[in-house]
Amino acid sequence: MEFGNAPDSLPTRGHAAKRRSIIDAAAAVFCREGFAGANIDLVAAEAGVSRQTVYNHHGDKERLFAAVVQEMTERSNAHAFDVLSTFPDDPADVESELTAFAVRLSASLMCRGEGSFLRKLVEAEGDRHPELFEVWRHEGPGRIWSALAARFARLAYAGHLDIEDPDLAARQFLALVNVDLKLPLLFREPVSEETLQANAARAVRTFLRAYGRDRGPPPPAREA
């Protein structure tokens, strides 16, 4: 008997728990083997379920792959928006508070498993699945850029920063925060808290050279 046809090997789980285990297993398999090398049997073995269980939940490999990208994007977004809720809206010290925020953001976007999976899959499979990753671009990075741009716009309106194009500033902030982490993460090198801190400090200093205000304390916020 092929291992993919064996009964579920783990204790009985509810529908949601079993679906999550399949998604997690499929993410690991697609990330390790690539789309071409992955198959339902490998996913079933990794999840501890039968091949039929995988088919019942997700159908064929194409639909499973799309479900994994969607689920990982949603999870990554949830963590990112948790971090965005800690953005320093009324900072006493713009540089130090933006640096602490940048540490939290890079840890969420770059160092969590979901972000690592999505980066690898975009690089390996983007040309083969352009429509799928176009949806990811708008629903993942696009939503984060927009939310971050709105927060930078509020800082500029309150006089903490000097920004004419908040969308551009948000993209540049994310690029500065992420750029030095991409190579070590590509090679799965561990990234320490000290590295995150030093990277964030450099990124924020550079960002503030372009958008910081050197004009004394910010003026009072204007009434709406």
Side-chain angles (χ1 to χ4, degrees):
M1 179 184 293
E2 292 180 325
F3 62 79
N5 289 324
D8 293 359
S9 59
L10 296 179
T12 302
R13 293 164 286 177
H15 180 88
K18 191 171 288 189
R19 180 186 179 279
R20 185 180 179 96
S21 72
I22 293 169
I23 291 288
D24 289 344
V29 171
F30 284 126
C31 198
R32 186 176 65 240
E33 308 291 339
F35 182 83
N39 60 59
I40 297 297
D41 281 339
L42 286 172
V43 173
E46 189 109 5
V49 300
S50 69
R51 179 199 302 177
Q52 191 57 48
T53 297
V54 179
Y55 282 121
N56 288 344
H57 279 261
H58 297 288
D60 59 20
K61 186 170 76 167
E62 289 275 356
R63 281 181 285 179
L64 175 59
F65 184 69
V68 168
V69 172
Q70 178 182 351
E71 175 77 14
M72 291 297 154
T73 300
E74 290 174 359
R75 290 189 203 174
S76 184
N77 280 359
H79 295 301
F81 276 89
D82 281 346
V83 174
L84 283 168
S85 71
T86 72
F87 185 87
D89 290 314
D90 187 21
D93 183 325
V94 173
E95 182 170 352
S96 66
E97 292 182 47
L98 272 183
T99 298
F101 171 75
V103 170
R104 296 190 294 272
L105 192 63
S106 57
S108 175
L109 291 179
M110 298 295 288
C111 300
R112 290 189 62 90
E114 297 92 347
S116 175
F117 164 81
L118 289 166
R119 283 194 306 278
K120 184 167 184 178
L121 264 291
V122 168
E123 290 168 2
E125 308 293 341
D127 289 342
R128 221 168 284 137
H129 302 270
E131 293 181 3
L132 179 61
F133 286 108
E134 182 65 16
V135 172
W136 164 80
R137 188 170 73 87
H138 287 291
E139 293 301 313
R143 289 184 60 197
I144 295 165
W145 291 338
S146 295
L148 187 57
R151 286 161 171 82
F152 278 129
R154 289 201 293 269
L155 279 190
Y157 184 81
H160 294 286
L161 297 174
D162 190 359
I163 295 175
E164 294 183 2
D165 186 341
D167 291 315
L168 176 61
R171 293 196 301 273
Q172 290 176 335
F173 182 82
L174 287 171
L176 288 167
V177 168
N178 294 338
V179 66
D180 285 338
L181 298 177
K182 289 182 178 179
L183 199 57
L185 290 172
L186 179 64
F187 291 99
R188 300 187 181 182
E189 297 172 3
V191 176
S192 67
E193 184 69 26
E194 291 77 12
T195 298
L196 285 178
Q197 182 68 38
N199 176 74
R202 289 192 301 270
V204 170
R205 281 197 301 270
T206 302
F207 182 80
L208 291 179
R209 288 190 191 107
Y211 296 112
R213 293 180 63 103
D214 244 343
R215 305 172 189 171
R222 289 169 288 179
E223 293 184 4

